[in-house]
Amino acid sequence: TDFNLFFHKTGFLKSLGSVVNFKMKQKLFFVLIQPPFKCSTKNIYSKVNNYSKKTTFIRKKIVKKKEFLNFLSQSRNDLQSVVEKKYPKIERILNNISIQKGCCFSRMTGSGSVCYGLFIDQNSAKKALNKLKYKYPKFWVSFAKTV
């Protein structure tokens, strides 16, 4: 459902079929970790009882990077708690990402199993990347940034 998002330079998925474009001047930096197991999307969705209330993204109110990061940090992944119960290692990975210096927050992507941390700057992300690669030598660990 998020495939349309990749046809836009900068935007966010407003609904299953609608992408809203916006210009963002700030770069964002991520560390991603994928453990050597996958989560069944069908199984994970089948166990979700409640979904978060929809929040509205108001572009005009969010101008500065700090405001944007605050907005993102207030959101959540409703599937994450289900995955963490089934795979406690996911919760430990997310905790290890979040305690890295410069990490704004950590989350799980979609229904898992990739976890990520959003970092305040590239230097912090690269330092965390090296520490997490050492901690998880058998996992896929990578750095990414917005373009």
Side-chain angles (χ1 to χ4, degrees), residues 19 46 55 64 77 82 105 108-109 134:
V19 176
S46 72
T55 58
K64 296 179 182 169
N77 180 342
V82 173
F105 62 87
M108 180 187 78
T109 62
Y134 180 78

Side-chain angles (χ1 to χ4, degrees), residues 9-63:
K9 186 169 182 170
T10 310
F12 70 95
L13 202 59
K14 182 178 179 180
S15 65
L16 293 180
S18 174
V19 176
V20 175
N21 286 311
F22 67 93
K23 291 182 181 180
M24 187 176 64
K25 296 175 183 166
Q26 298 89 7
K27 295 253 186 227
L28 302 177
F29 305 95
F30 303 88
V31 173
L32 301 106
I33 300 178
Q34 183 178 19
F37 59 86
K38 305 231 186 255
C39 301
S40 164
T41 301
K42 181 179 179 181
N43 181 269
I44 299 305
Y45 269 94
S46 72
K47 296 187 179 345
V48 177
N49 295 323
N50 296 312
Y51 290 97
S52 299
K53 192 175 171 184
K54 186 177 175 180
T55 58
T56 304
F57 179 78
I58 303 170
R59 285 183 283 173
K60 292 174 185 169
K61 285 190 173 184
I62 299 176
V63 178

